[in-house]
Amino acid sequence: MALTYLVLLVLVGGTLPAVVRSLLPPLPRRNTGITPQAVVVLGAGRRQRDGQFSLTTRGLRRLQLAAEMAHEHSLPLVVSGGISTTPHADNEPSEAQLMAELVRRRWPTMTVLEEGKSRNTWENAVYSGELLGQRSIDEIMLVSDRAHLPRALLCFQSQGVLAQAAWRKRLPKQEWVPSAGALSMVPEIWYEWLALVWYPLRYL
């Protein structure tokens, strides 16, 4: 009985935006004095239906924010994401290609740089860092999900790229009203906490 109550308590707590917000990994100390020279957006996976590939809802949400920021500030946009499935067909589009296509439809004159080799966050930072370095860019605005940004920022900083974090808010303003959206973020948050332990051992 006690275990049942504990499980119910955890489930109820996981639906409350205030509780979920408190579980988010903390962002690294904010870099001050940065003047972003580009906006970088990280892919969030592809989905396939009837042989056609498209971005996930999370990926579309990230891309929309990043493109709007790049347009507003007249900055180049770096779209980062490869093909995570193995094996894959040679003609499959990378996440970067899918993102670039959508942006160019909306803003044909925007400068869009594609990084289509990365398979994870570490490779996002390594390959995007190379692309940015070729253009002498070392200060960026980095767009991803709030839970993912602490890990992403650490990876980019390890490549000598100074980044400010930007994300689209997903948690409702009513902090103590149960929300399915808040509950859906809980697995992401636990995954990121585990990744923050694993990445320093594997990469950093």
Side-chain angles (χ1 to χ4, degrees):
M1 184 65 70
L3 180 60
T4 301
Y5 283 129
L6 179 61
V7 171
L8 288 173
L9 183 62
V10 171
L11 289 175
V12 172
T15 68
L16 300 176
V19 174
V20 173
R21 186 173 287 108
S22 72
L23 299 175
L24 286 165
L27 292 167
R29 189 172 183 177
R30 181 180 176 88
N31 289 309
T32 57
I34 288 181
T35 303
Q37 302 157 288
V39 178
V40 178
V41 58
L42 306 185
R46 307 174 305 162
R47 55 191 175 193
Q48 184 180 15
R49 183 175 182 180
D50 298 328
Q52 298 295 316
F53 288 91
S54 62
L55 299 176
T56 63
T57 301
R58 288 171 62 194
L60 286 169
R61 183 168 54 239
R62 296 179 188 181
L63 180 62
Q64 181 181 18
L65 175 60
E68 289 172 353
M69 293 174 60
H71 174 69
E72 179 182 354
H73 298 287
S74 299
L75 294 173
L77 175 65
V78 178
V79 290
S80 178
I83 299 173
S84 58
T85 55
T86 305
H88 63 270
D90 292 337
N91 61 347
E92 288 185 14
S94 67
E95 285 185 75
Q97 288 175 302
L98 294 172
M99 288 191 283
E101 181 180 351
L102 290 175
V103 173
R104 287 172 179 143
R105 285 183 197 169
R106 176 76 182 277
W107 291 288
T109 61
M110 184 182 294
T111 300
V112 183
L113 308 176
E114 298 180 35
E115 182 291 290
K117 298 189 295 183
S118 56
R119 296 166 297 175
N120 57 37
T121 305
W122 174 254
E123 292 184 0
N124 284 146
V126 171
Y127 296 135
S128 295
E130 292 175 357
L131 194 62
L132 294 166
Q134 293 169 7
R135 290 158 178 80
S136 300
I137 295 174
D138 59 5
E139 298 184 355
I140 64 167
M141 187 69 70
L142 184 62
V143 179
S144 186
D145 290 333
R146 170 60 182 83
H148 180 229
L149 276 165
R151 176 162 57 107
L153 287 167
L154 290 173
C155 290
F156 274 81
Q157 288 172 8
S158 75
Q159 302 303 307
V161 178
L162 298 178
Q164 290 182 356
W167 65 94
R168 184 81 76 187
K169 293 181 179 179
R170 293 167 56 189
L171 288 170
K173 294 181 179 179
Q174 295 81 5
E175 294 203 337
W176 298 104
V177 176
S179 163
L183 184 61
S184 71
M185 289 181 62
V186 173
E188 298 174 34
I189 293 172
W190 292 130
Y191 178 88
E192 289 302 327
W193 275 111
L194 292 173
L196 283 170
V197 174
W198 167 244
Y199 260 56
L201 299 175
R202 176 66 176 85
Y203 297 114
L204 301 175

